[in-house]
PDB file of all heavy atoms in Angstrom:
ATOM      1  N   GLY A  19      -1.019 -40.905  11.008  1.00 97.00           N
ATOM      2  CA  GLY A  19       0.314 -40.450  11.377  1.00 97.00           C
ATOM      3  C   GLY A  19       1.286 -41.603  11.539  1.00 97.00           C
ATOM      4  O   GLY A  19       2.449 -41.519  11.135  1.00 97.00           O
ATOM      5  N   ALA A  20       0.792 -42.702  12.137  1.00 97.00           N
ATOM      6  CA  ALA A  20       1.641 -43.881  12.326  1.00 97.00           C
ATOM      7  C   ALA A  20       2.047 -44.479  10.985  1.00 97.00           C
ATOM      8  O   ALA A  20       3.213 -44.827  10.789  1.00 97.00           O
ATOM      9  CB  ALA A  20       0.915 -44.922  13.176  1.00 97.00           C
ATOM     10  N   VAL A  21       1.104 -44.592  10.058  1.00 98.00           N
ATOM     11  CA  VAL A  21       1.425 -45.126   8.729  1.00 98.00           C
ATOM     12  C   VAL A  21       2.492 -44.256   8.067  1.00 98.00           C
ATOM     13  O   VAL A  21       3.462 -44.775   7.509  1.00 98.00           O
ATOM     14  CB  VAL A  21       0.162 -45.224   7.843  1.00 98.00           C
ATOM     15  CG1 VAL A  21       0.531 -45.446   6.381  1.00 98.00           C
ATOM     16  CG2 VAL A  21      -0.746 -46.336   8.334  1.00 98.00           C
ATOM     17  N   SER A  22       2.327 -42.957   8.151  1.00 97.00           N
ATOM     18  CA  SER A  22       3.300 -42.044   7.560  1.00 97.00           C
ATOM     19  C   SER A  22       4.682 -42.241   8.176  1.00 97.00           C
ATOM     20  O   SER A  22       5.681 -42.341   7.456  1.00 97.00           O
ATOM     21  CB  SER A  22       2.829 -40.598   7.762  1.00 97.00           C
ATOM     22  OG  SER A  22       3.792 -39.694   7.305  1.00 97.00           O
ATOM     23  N   ASP A  23       4.731 -42.319   9.506  1.00 97.00           N
ATOM     24  CA  ASP A  23       6.012 -42.511  10.192  1.00 97.00           C
ATOM     25  C   ASP A  23       6.656 -43.840   9.832  1.00 97.00           C
ATOM     26  O   ASP A  23       7.854 -43.904   9.544  1.00 97.00           O
ATOM     27  CB  ASP A  23       5.835 -42.436  11.709  1.00 97.00           C
ATOM     28  CG  ASP A  23       5.547 -41.034  12.205  1.00 97.00           C
ATOM     29  OD1 ASP A  23       5.663 -40.072  11.425  1.00 97.00           O
ATOM     30  OD2 ASP A  23       5.199 -40.901  13.399  1.00 97.00           O
ATOM     31  N   PHE A  24       5.871 -44.911   9.867  1.00 97.00           N
ATOM     32  CA  PHE A  24       6.420 -46.235   9.569  1.00 97.00           C
ATOM     33  C   PHE A  24       6.899 -46.326   8.121  1.00 97.00           C
ATOM     34  O   PHE A  24       7.950 -46.896   7.841  1.00 97.00           O
ATOM     35  CB  PHE A  24       5.412 -47.344   9.869  1.00 97.00           C
ATOM     36  CG  PHE A  24       5.226 -47.616  11.333  1.00 97.00           C
ATOM     37  CD1 PHE A  24       3.977 -47.529  11.916  1.00 97.00           C
ATOM     38  CD2 PHE A  24       6.295 -47.985  12.134  1.00 97.00           C
ATOM     39  CE1 PHE A  24       3.794 -47.797  13.260  1.00 97.00           C
ATOM     40  CE2 PHE A  24       6.132 -48.250  13.488  1.00 97.00           C
ATOM     41  CZ  PHE A  24       4.876 -48.151  14.052  1.00 97.00           C
ATOM     42  N   LYS A  25       6.132 -45.754   7.194  1.00 96.00           N
ATOM     43  CA  LYS A  25       6.559 -45.766   5.783  1.00 96.00           C
ATOM     44  C   LYS A  25       7.878 -45.023   5.616  1.00 96.00           C
ATOM     45  O   LYS A  25       8.756 -45.470   4.883  1.00 96.00           O
ATOM     46  CB  LYS A  25       5.491 -45.138   4.889  1.00 96.00           C
ATOM     47  CG  LYS A  25       4.334 -46.053   4.583  1.00 96.00           C
ATOM     48  CD  LYS A  25       3.371 -45.410   3.614  1.00 96.00           C
ATOM     49  CE  LYS A  25       2.260 -46.359   3.253  1.00 96.00           C
ATOM     50  NZ  LYS A  25       1.303 -45.749   2.298  1.00 96.00           N
ATOM     51  N   GLU A  26       8.009 -43.904   6.288  1.00 95.00           N
ATOM     52  CA  GLU A  26       9.248 -43.135   6.204  1.00 95.00           C
ATOM     53  C   GLU A  26      10.421 -43.931   6.769  1.00 95.00           C
ATOM     54  O   GLU A  26      11.505 -43.956   6.190  1.00 95.00           O
ATOM     55  CB  GLU A  26       9.084 -41.821   6.968  1.00 95.00           C
ATOM     56  CG  GLU A  26      10.230 -40.870   6.790  1.00 95.00           C
ATOM     57  CD  GLU A  26       9.969 -39.536   7.464  1.00 95.00           C
ATOM     58  OE1 GLU A  26       8.833 -39.038   7.373  1.00 95.00           O
ATOM     59  OE2 GLU A  26      10.914 -39.008   8.080  1.00 95.00           O
ATOM     60  N   LEU A  27      10.195 -44.610   7.888  1.00 94.00           N
ATOM     61  CA  LEU A  27      11.253 -45.426   8.478  1.00 94.00           C
ATOM     62  C   LEU A  27      11.659 -46.567   7.548  1.00 94.00           C
ATOM     63  O   LEU A  27      12.842 -46.875   7.402  1.00 94.00           O
ATOM     64  CB  LEU A  27      10.800 -45.986   9.828  1.00 94.00           C
ATOM     65  CG  LEU A  27      10.725 -44.979  10.969  1.00 94.00           C
ATOM     66  CD1 LEU A  27       9.963 -45.574  12.157  1.00 94.00           C
ATOM     67  CD2 LEU A  27      12.119 -44.561  11.390  1.00 94.00           C
ATOM     68  N   VAL A  28      10.675 -47.203   6.923  1.00 93.00           N
ATOM     69  CA  VAL A  28      10.961 -48.312   6.001  1.00 93.00           C
ATOM     70  C   VAL A  28      11.733 -47.799   4.786  1.00 93.00           C
ATOM     71  O   VAL A  28      12.706 -48.417   4.358  1.00 93.00           O
ATOM     72  CB  VAL A  28       9.654 -49.020   5.580  1.00 93.00           C
ATOM     73  CG1 VAL A  28       9.896 -49.986   4.436  1.00 93.00           C
ATOM     74  CG2 VAL A  28       9.035 -49.753   6.768  1.00 93.00           C
ATOM     75  N   GLU A  29      11.296 -46.671   4.239  1.00 92.00           N
ATOM     76  CA  GLU A  29      11.951 -46.113   3.052  1.00 92.00           C
ATOM     77  C   GLU A  29      13.382 -45.686   3.343  1.00 92.00           C
ATOM     78  O   GLU A  29      14.277 -45.884   2.511  1.00 92.00           O
ATOM     79  CB  GLU A  29      11.149 -44.930   2.523  1.00 92.00           C
ATOM     80  CG  GLU A  29       9.843 -45.323   1.881  1.00 92.00           C
ATOM     81  CD  GLU A  29       8.958 -44.135   1.561  1.00 92.00           C
ATOM     82  OE1 GLU A  29       9.381 -42.976   1.791  1.00 92.00           O
ATOM     83  OE2 GLU A  29       7.831 -44.356   1.088  1.00 92.00           O
ATOM     84  N   GLN A  30      13.607 -45.086   4.499  1.00 89.00           N
ATOM     85  CA  GLN A  30      14.944 -44.605   4.837  1.00 89.00           C
ATOM     86  C   GLN A  30      15.872 -45.732   5.234  1.00 89.00           C
ATOM     87  O   GLN A  30      17.080 -45.617   5.080  1.00 89.00           O
ATOM     88  CB  GLN A  30      14.871 -43.597   5.984  1.00 89.00           C
ATOM     89  CG  GLN A  30      14.252 -42.297   5.581  1.00 89.00           C
ATOM     90  CD  GLN A  30      14.193 -41.320   6.740  1.00 89.00           C
ATOM     91  OE1 GLN A  30      14.447 -41.663   7.874  1.00 89.00           O
ATOM     92  NE2 GLN A  30      13.843 -40.086   6.433  1.00 89.00           N
ATOM     93  N   GLY A  31      15.313 -46.802   5.754  1.00 78.00           N
ATOM     94  CA  GLY A  31      16.144 -47.880   6.259  1.00 78.00           C
ATOM     95  C   GLY A  31      16.846 -47.408   7.522  1.00 78.00           C
ATOM     96  O   GLY A  31      17.212 -46.244   7.642  1.00 78.00           O
ATOM     97  N   SER A  32      17.002 -48.291   8.445  1.00 65.00           N
ATOM     98  CA  SER A  32      17.580 -47.891   9.730  1.00 65.00           C
ATOM     99  C   SER A  32      18.975 -48.450   9.927  1.00 65.00           C
ATOM    100  O   SER A  32      19.595 -48.215  10.953  1.00 65.00           O
ATOM    101  CB  SER A  32      16.672 -48.366  10.864  1.00 65.00           C
ATOM    102  OG  SER A  32      16.589 -49.772  10.848  1.00 65.00           O
ATOM    103  N   GLY A  33      19.438 -49.217   8.952  1.00 72.00           N
ATOM    104  CA  GLY A  33      20.752 -49.821   9.098  1.00 72.00           C
ATOM    105  C   GLY A  33      20.734 -51.102   9.906  1.00 72.00           C
ATOM    106  O   GLY A  33      21.753 -51.739  10.089  1.00 72.00           O
ATOM    107  N   SER A  34      19.599 -51.479  10.384  1.00 83.00           N
ATOM    108  CA  SER A  34      19.472 -52.679  11.200  1.00 83.00           C
ATOM    109  C   SER A  34      18.262 -53.481  10.740  1.00 83.00           C
ATOM    110  O   SER A  34      17.169 -52.918  10.602  1.00 83.00           O
ATOM    111  CB  SER A  34      19.304 -52.279  12.669  1.00 83.00           C
ATOM    112  OG  SER A  34      18.816 -53.362  13.434  1.00 83.00           O
ATOM    113  N   ASP A  35      18.454 -54.771  10.515  1.00 85.00           N
ATOM    114  CA  ASP A  35      17.324 -55.621  10.122  1.00 85.00           C
ATOM    115  C   ASP A  35      16.270 -55.684  11.218  1.00 85.00           C
ATOM    116  O   ASP A  35      15.084 -55.781  10.929  1.00 85.00           O
ATOM    117  CB  ASP A  35      17.805 -57.026   9.787  1.00 85.00           C
ATOM    118  CG  ASP A  35      18.527 -57.095   8.449  1.00 85.00           C
ATOM    119  OD1 ASP A  35      18.435 -56.118   7.676  1.00 85.00           O
ATOM    120  OD2 ASP A  35      19.170 -58.122   8.187  1.00 85.00           O
ATOM    121  N   LEU A  36      16.694 -55.618  12.473  1.00 87.00           N
ATOM    122  CA  LEU A  36      15.739 -55.658  13.577  1.00 87.00           C
ATOM    123  C   LEU A  36      14.800 -54.458  13.513  1.00 87.00           C
ATOM    124  O   LEU A  36      13.577 -54.616  13.571  1.00 87.00           O
ATOM    125  CB  LEU A  36      16.466 -55.682  14.924  1.00 87.00           C
ATOM    126  CG  LEU A  36      15.581 -55.563  16.158  1.00 87.00           C
ATOM    127  CD1 LEU A  36      14.613 -56.735  16.235  1.00 87.00           C
ATOM    128  CD2 LEU A  36      16.409 -55.453  17.415  1.00 87.00           C
ATOM    129  N   PHE A  37      15.357 -53.257  13.384  1.00 89.00           N
ATOM    130  CA  PHE A  37      14.511 -52.066  13.333  1.00 89.00           C
ATOM    131  C   PHE A  37      13.692 -52.016  12.050  1.00 89.00           C
ATOM    132  O   PHE A  37      12.558 -51.540  12.062  1.00 89.00           O
ATOM    133  CB  PHE A  37      15.343 -50.805  13.519  1.00 89.00           C
ATOM    134  CG  PHE A  37      15.844 -50.654  14.924  1.00 89.00           C
ATOM    135  CD1 PHE A  37      17.182 -50.780  15.201  1.00 89.00           C
ATOM    136  CD2 PHE A  37      14.967 -50.418  15.971  1.00 89.00           C
ATOM    137  CE1 PHE A  37      17.654 -50.658  16.499  1.00 89.00           C
ATOM    138  CE2 PHE A  37      15.422 -50.301  17.271  1.00 89.00           C
ATOM    139  CZ  PHE A  37      16.763 -50.419  17.544  1.00 89.00           C
ATOM    140  N   ALA A  38      14.240 -52.521  10.961  1.00 91.00           N
ATOM    141  CA  ALA A  38      13.481 -52.572   9.714  1.00 91.00           C
ATOM    142  C   ALA A  38      12.286 -53.507   9.848  1.00 91.00           C
ATOM    143  O   ALA A  38      11.180 -53.178   9.428  1.00 91.00           O
ATOM    144  CB  ALA A  38      14.380 -53.008   8.565  1.00 91.00           C
ATOM    145  N   SER A  39      12.480 -54.671  10.464  1.00 92.00           N
ATOM    146  CA  SER A  39      11.367 -55.613  10.627  1.00 92.00           C
ATOM    147  C   SER A  39      10.332 -55.063  11.610  1.00 92.00           C
ATOM    148  O   SER A  39       9.133 -55.235  11.409  1.00 92.00           O
ATOM    149  CB  SER A  39      11.858 -57.003  11.041  1.00 92.00           C
ATOM    150  OG  SER A  39      12.540 -56.960  12.272  1.00 92.00           O
ATOM    151  N   LEU A  40      10.769 -54.365  12.656  1.00 93.00           N
ATOM    152  CA  LEU A  40       9.825 -53.743  13.592  1.00 93.00           C
ATOM    153  C   LEU A  40       9.045 -52.616  12.919  1.00 93.00           C
ATOM    154  O   LEU A  40       7.850 -52.438  13.191  1.00 93.00           O
ATOM    155  CB  LEU A  40      10.556 -53.223  14.825  1.00 93.00           C
ATOM    156  CG  LEU A  40      11.098 -54.280  15.776  1.00 93.00           C
ATOM    157  CD1 LEU A  40      11.967 -53.638  16.852  1.00 93.00           C
ATOM    158  CD2 LEU A  40       9.965 -55.081  16.412  1.00 93.00           C
ATOM    159  N   SER A  41       9.700 -51.884  12.036  1.00 95.00           N
ATOM    160  CA  SER A  41       9.014 -50.824  11.289  1.00 95.00           C
ATOM    161  C   SER A  41       7.966 -51.419  10.359  1.00 95.00           C
ATOM    162  O   SER A  41       6.840 -50.911  10.260  1.00 95.00           O
ATOM    163  CB  SER A  41      10.019 -49.997  10.486  1.00 95.00           C
ATOM    164  OG  SER A  41      10.917 -49.342  11.341  1.00 95.00           O
ATOM    165  N   LEU A  42       8.317 -52.492   9.672  1.00 96.00           N
ATOM    166  CA  LEU A  42       7.361 -53.162   8.784  1.00 96.00           C
ATOM    167  C   LEU A  42       6.198 -53.752   9.563  1.00 96.00           C
ATOM    168  O   LEU A  42       5.051 -53.690   9.122  1.00 96.00           O
ATOM    169  CB  LEU A  42       8.070 -54.263   7.986  1.00 96.00           C
ATOM    170  CG  LEU A  42       8.950 -53.768   6.851  1.00 96.00           C
ATOM    171  CD1 LEU A  42       9.902 -54.867   6.394  1.00 96.00           C
ATOM    172  CD2 LEU A  42       8.086 -53.295   5.687  1.00 96.00           C
ATOM    173  N   LYS A  43       6.477 -54.301  10.739  1.00 95.00           N
ATOM    174  CA  LYS A  43       5.415 -54.853  11.580  1.00 95.00           C
ATOM    175  C   LYS A  43       4.452 -53.758  12.023  1.00 95.00           C
ATOM    176  O   LYS A  43       3.235 -53.906  11.968  1.00 95.00           O
ATOM    177  CB  LYS A  43       6.027 -55.558  12.794  1.00 95.00           C
ATOM    178  CG  LYS A  43       5.028 -56.411  13.562  1.00 95.00           C
ATOM    179  CD  LYS A  43       4.735 -55.761  14.881  1.00 95.00           C
ATOM    180  CE  LYS A  43       3.901 -56.699  15.731  1.00 95.00           C
ATOM    181  NZ  LYS A  43       2.669 -56.073  16.185  1.00 95.00           N
ATOM    182  N   GLY A  44       5.004 -52.615  12.448  1.00 97.00           N
ATOM    183  CA  GLY A  44       4.163 -51.492  12.845  1.00 97.00           C
ATOM    184  C   GLY A  44       3.352 -50.950  11.684  1.00 97.00           C
ATOM    185  O   GLY A  44       2.178 -50.600  11.841  1.00 97.00           O
ATOM    186  N   LEU A  45       3.961 -50.898  10.513  1.00 97.00           N
ATOM    187  CA  LEU A  45       3.241 -50.461   9.320  1.00 97.00           C
ATOM    188  C   LEU A  45       2.088 -51.409   9.027  1.00 97.00           C
ATOM    189  O   LEU A  45       0.962 -50.968   8.769  1.00 97.00           O
ATOM    190  CB  LEU A  45       4.198 -50.390   8.120  1.00 97.00           C
ATOM    191  CG  LEU A  45       3.572 -50.025   6.786  1.00 97.00           C
ATOM    192  CD1 LEU A  45       2.903 -48.662   6.830  1.00 97.00           C
ATOM    193  CD2 LEU A  45       4.631 -50.078   5.681  1.00 97.00           C
ATOM    194  N   GLY A  46       2.354 -52.705   9.100  1.00 97.00           N
ATOM    195  CA  GLY A  46       1.295 -53.685   8.859  1.00 97.00           C
ATOM    196  C   GLY A  46       0.155 -53.561   9.853  1.00 97.00           C
ATOM    197  O   GLY A  46      -1.024 -53.605   9.475  1.00 97.00           O
ATOM    198  N   ASP A  47       0.479 -53.388  11.127  1.00 97.00           N
ATOM    199  CA  ASP A  47      -0.565 -53.218  12.152  1.00 97.00           C
ATOM    200  C   ASP A  47      -1.408 -51.978  11.865  1.00 97.00           C
ATOM    201  O   ASP A  47      -2.644 -52.021  11.927  1.00 97.00           O
ATOM    202  CB  ASP A  47       0.062 -53.085  13.538  1.00 97.00           C
ATOM    203  CG  ASP A  47       0.663 -54.369  14.060  1.00 97.00           C
ATOM    204  OD1 ASP A  47       0.428 -55.446  13.461  1.00 97.00           O
ATOM    205  OD2 ASP A  47       1.391 -54.300  15.076  1.00 97.00           O
ATOM    206  N   SER A  48      -0.736 -50.874  11.555  1.00 97.00           N
ATOM    207  CA  SER A  48      -1.445 -49.616  11.291  1.00 97.00           C
ATOM    208  C   SER A  48      -2.366 -49.734  10.080  1.00 97.00           C
ATOM    209  O   SER A  48      -3.516 -49.289  10.114  1.00 97.00           O
ATOM    210  CB  SER A  48      -0.440 -48.485  11.069  1.00 97.00           C
ATOM    211  OG  SER A  48       0.394 -48.326  12.190  1.00 97.00           O
ATOM    212  N   LEU A  49      -1.849 -50.333   9.021  1.00 98.00           N
ATOM    213  CA  LEU A  49      -2.659 -50.512   7.817  1.00 98.00           C
ATOM    214  C   LEU A  49      -3.842 -51.433   8.072  1.00 98.00           C
ATOM    215  O   LEU A  49      -4.943 -51.196   7.567  1.00 98.00           O
ATOM    216  CB  LEU A  49      -1.793 -51.054   6.673  1.00 98.00           C
ATOM    217  CG  LEU A  49      -0.758 -50.086   6.113  1.00 98.00           C
ATOM    218  CD1 LEU A  49       0.184 -50.804   5.159  1.00 98.00           C
ATOM    219  CD2 LEU A  49      -1.423 -48.907   5.437  1.00 98.00           C
ATOM    220  N   ALA A  50      -3.643 -52.466   8.876  1.00 97.00           N
ATOM    221  CA  ALA A  50      -4.738 -53.380   9.194  1.00 97.00           C
ATOM    222  C   ALA A  50      -5.853 -52.649   9.934  1.00 97.00           C
ATOM    223  O   ALA A  50      -7.040 -52.830   9.630  1.00 97.00           O
ATOM    224  CB  ALA A  50      -4.221 -54.548  10.029  1.00 97.00           C
ATOM    225  N   TYR A  51      -5.497 -51.825  10.912  1.00 97.00           N
ATOM    226  CA  TYR A  51      -6.507 -51.064  11.648  1.00 97.00           C
ATOM    227  C   TYR A  51      -7.244 -50.082  10.755  1.00 97.00           C
ATOM    228  O   TYR A  51      -8.397 -49.748  11.014  1.00 97.00           O
ATOM    229  CB  TYR A  51      -5.880 -50.318  12.824  1.00 97.00           C
ATOM    230  CG  TYR A  51      -5.568 -51.205  14.000  1.00 97.00           C
ATOM    231  CD1 TYR A  51      -4.263 -51.316  14.478  1.00 97.00           C
ATOM    232  CD2 TYR A  51      -6.563 -51.929  14.645  1.00 97.00           C
ATOM    233  CE1 TYR A  51      -3.970 -52.129  15.568  1.00 97.00           C
ATOM    234  CE2 TYR A  51      -6.280 -52.740  15.731  1.00 97.00           C
ATOM    235  CZ  TYR A  51      -4.984 -52.827  16.186  1.00 97.00           C
ATOM    236  OH  TYR A  51      -4.688 -53.626  17.257  1.00 97.00           O
ATOM    237  N   LEU A  52      -6.587 -49.621   9.698  1.00 97.00           N
ATOM    238  CA  LEU A  52      -7.235 -48.726   8.737  1.00 97.00           C
ATOM    239  C   LEU A  52      -8.059 -49.479   7.700  1.00 97.00           C
ATOM    240  O   LEU A  52      -8.726 -48.868   6.877  1.00 97.00           O
ATOM    241  CB  LEU A  52      -6.184 -47.861   8.041  1.00 97.00           C
ATOM    242  CG  LEU A  52      -5.598 -46.733   8.880  1.00 97.00           C
ATOM    243  CD1 LEU A  52      -4.417 -46.083   8.160  1.00 97.00           C
ATOM    244  CD2 LEU A  52      -6.668 -45.686   9.181  1.00 97.00           C
ATOM    245  N   GLY A  53      -7.977 -50.804   7.696  1.00 97.00           N
ATOM    246  CA  GLY A  53      -8.758 -51.609   6.761  1.00 97.00           C
ATOM    247  C   GLY A  53      -8.041 -51.938   5.468  1.00 97.00           C
ATOM    248  O   GLY A  53      -8.653 -52.500   4.550  1.00 97.00           O
ATOM    249  N   ASP A  54      -6.776 -51.606   5.357  1.00 97.00           N
ATOM    250  CA  ASP A  54      -5.998 -51.908   4.149  1.00 97.00           C
ATOM    251  C   ASP A  54      -5.395 -53.307   4.302  1.00 97.00           C
ATOM    252  O   ASP A  54      -4.231 -53.468   4.670  1.00 97.00           O
ATOM    253  CB  ASP A  54      -4.900 -50.866   3.947  1.00 97.00           C
ATOM    254  CG  ASP A  54      -4.087 -51.094   2.676  1.00 97.00           C
ATOM    255  OD1 ASP A  54      -4.280 -52.124   2.000  1.00 97.00           O
ATOM    256  OD2 ASP A  54      -3.247 -50.226   2.381  1.00 97.00           O
TER     257      ASP A  54
END
Side-chain angles (χ1 to χ4, degrees):
V21 166
S22 175
D23 289 350
F24 286 123
K25 281 184 177 180
E26 188 175 319
L27 287 167
V28 169
E29 289 171 3
Q30 290 180 350
S32 62
S34 164
D35 286 347
L36 173 62
F37 289 111
S39 61
L40 289 172
S41 297
L42 285 164
K43 192 251 188 235
L45 177 60
D47 289 349
S48 301
L49 291 170
Y51 283 121
L52 286 171
D54 182 353

